[in-house]
Amino acid sequence: MVCISSLRALVLRAAAGASRRRGSRVLCGRAVDACVTPRTRGHGWRGFRAVAGARTKMMLDSSDSDPASAVGQLQLQRRAAAAGAQPQDGGAGGYASGGWQREDGKLKCGYSSFRGKRATMEDFYDVKLTEVDGQPVSLFGVFDGHGGSRAAEYLKEHLFENLMKHPKFLTDTKLAISETYQKTDSDFLESESNAFRDDGSTASTAVLVGGHLYVANVGDSRAVISKAGKAMALSVDHKPNRTDERKRIENAGGVVIWAGTWRVGGVLAMSRAFGNRLLKPFVVAEPEIQEELVDGDLESLVLASDGLWDAVENEEAVSLAKTEDVPESAARKLTEIAYSRGSADNITCIVVQFQHDKTGG
């Protein structure tokens, strides 16, 4: 996604120049979204990993090898044989896809992930359909790595697990998402403290709890829904030249420089991401969160990395998602369209369809 070569030297030069120009402004004026709790060493839920205990009953996730063991209301039927066993780089062909539907037929999801023209695969995805304290919960995430795959892989392995163990996951889902994003970022940086690398990753996630859909975004992956026949973006790409983002970065002592495109410190072409230790505190993992009521107007959801959005418009994506009966087919077609139009990035897409008129599997 971005070039990280000479990162340390560029950041140090940018930071030094910003420090000379701004002086005491380095430590003041950090803008924080209204729904975000500022990052501290403790969020008031320290040790939340042990809180959940038996709260969470996992029915299916994208790494399960035996989804047939799912039982009860959320028993799932697999659309693609052996899809969950495929590696996330798609194996030798660089391609992976699969999909599932809920037994009652009211929720279907499919994914497609393609290495494309890149030599390596830095995209990851996660799909979990589960129960927490008897409440049906569905979680979908696309993680687009840069400077390496480790940050994106870490998010796949830990972000949703951490979120479901947050003590306020069901009662204050927005707060739980915000705190979990930031703590998972801190955990990743700590886990990589001895590594001579500076991986980063976006995260575009959708969490369905009861009749509420929560979409959280960090970076330039994107979530778009179809509502009453119209495309509606539920995230705004975090670009350094966004007026509010540029102000936040400069208030924190950073600089936004044109280097082929607008970049934080002349290095990173997005203003929020997980990881990127050398660009903290200018590049943050504080999510922007949108909430939507799941009613008869909500038809579909498309989550994708920027490898898709670089070549496909929002309206086109949700239109195709609505016309395909099988969401896996929609996801595959979207990745193929983006690739055929010249997308040079990894391409990962998750399509979720809401079937409000279904009463049985």
Side-chain angles (χ1 to χ4, degrees):
M1 178 188 298
V2 293
C3 179
I4 309 298
S5 62
S6 303
L7 174 60
R8 186 183 299 272
L10 283 168
V11 173
L12 289 177
R13 286 201 298 270
S19 177
R20 287 192 297 270
R21 289 189 297 272
R22 291 180 176 80
S24 61
R25 291 178 63 195
V26 172
L27 300 177
C28 67
R30 252 183 104 180
V32 178
D33 294 330
C35 63
V36 172
T37 300
R39 187 187 315 158
T40 60
R41 294 198 67 80
H43 289 290
W45 48 283
R46 183 176 51 191
F48 74 92
R49 296 173 185 274
V51 173
R55 294 173 69 230
T56 304
K57 180 181 181 182
M58 185 59 62
M59 311 300 287
L60 177 149
D61 68 39
S62 56
S63 59
D64 282 347
S65 59
D66 185 18
S69 63
V71 294
Q73 179 184 359
L74 284 181
Q75 186 175 15
L76 303 169
Q77 300 172 350
R78 264 183 107 152
R79 282 285 195 181
Q86 290 180 318
Q88 296 227 340
D89 66 358
Y95 197 96
S97 68
W100 300 269
Q101 69 173 7
R102 208 162 66 182
E103 187 182 44
D104 61 11
K106 292 184 177 180
L107 185 71
K108 300 178 182 180
C109 65
Y111 68 83
S112 178
S113 190
F114 184 39
R115 189 176 68 236
K117 298 178 181 179
R118 288 293 181 91
T120 59
M121 184 61 164
E122 296 178 339
D123 279 7
F124 282 78
Y125 56 86
D126 197 9
V127 176
K128 296 188 188 310
L129 293 94
T130 184
E131 290 181 357
V132 178
D133 287 349
Q135 173 83 283
V137 173
S138 305
L139 308 98
F140 312 94
V142 171
F143 314 114
D144 184 355
H146 49 264
S149 63
R150 181 58 191 139
E153 184 178 14
Y154 187 93
L155 294 178
K156 174 193 165 49
E157 293 171 349
H158 298 286
L159 185 62
F160 287 159
E161 294 294 339
N162 290 349
L163 177 58
M164 289 186 291
K165 293 172 183 177
H166 192 290
K168 293 187 177 180
F169 174 54
L170 295 179
T171 59
D172 193 345
T173 307
K174 281 189 176 181
L175 176 66
I177 291 171
S178 179
E179 292 187 346
T180 299
Y181 262 61
Q182 294 174 84
K183 187 174 189 304
T184 303
D185 182 42
S186 297
D187 290 346
F188 170 69
L189 292 174
E190 184 177 351
S191 73
E192 297 284 298
S193 60
N194 295 323
F196 187 72
R197 55 193 299 171
D198 199 39
D199 295 29
S201 179
T202 71
S204 183
T205 63
V207 179
L208 181 62
V209 180
H212 294 267
L213 179 69
Y214 302 90
V215 170
N217 184 62
V218 162
D220 57 3
S221 293
R222 191 182 307 162
V224 180
I225 61 170
S226 175
K227 188 167 186 178
K230 296 182 179 180
M232 180 187 304
L234 289 188
S235 64
V236 180
D237 299 356
H238 288 127
K239 296 294 188 179
N241 58 318
R242 248 178 64 174
T243 302
D244 56 342
E245 287 296 278
R246 183 168 194 154
K247 182 178 179 181
R248 176 186 61 78
I249 292 165
E250 291 178 346
N251 284 343
V255 292
V256 176
I257 299 173
W258 178 264
T261 187
W262 290 107
R263 299 177 184 272
V264 181
V267 177
L268 191 64
M270 70 191 71
S271 55
R272 300 194 190 193
F274 287 80
N276 293 118
R277 180 192 316 277
L278 295 178
L279 290 172
K280 301 297 186 191
F282 321 126
V283 173
V284 298
E286 297 166 355
E288 291 186 309
I289 305 171
Q290 299 290 331
E291 180 180 357
E292 279 290 324
L293 183 65
V294 180
D295 55 20
D297 289 337
L298 184 60
E299 298 156 334
S300 62
L301 163 73
V302 179
L303 289 173
S305 59
D306 68 333
L308 179 80
W309 303 117
D310 286 345
V312 178
E313 297 293 331
N314 295 353
E315 294 78 8
E316 186 178 10
V318 297
S319 177
L320 192 149
K322 287 189 298 181
T323 56
E324 288 289 329
D325 290 334
V326 180
E328 180 191 353
S329 298
R332 287 179 66 103
K333 285 188 177 181
L334 285 170
T335 57
E336 290 166 0
I337 289 170
Y339 181 73
S340 69
R341 292 179 181 175
S343 176
D345 208 345
N346 304 143
I347 309 167
T348 298
C349 177
I350 296 175
V351 174
V352 181
Q353 295 175 343
F354 301 89
Q355 306 290 331
H356 303 286
D357 56 344
K358 298 291 184 180
T359 58

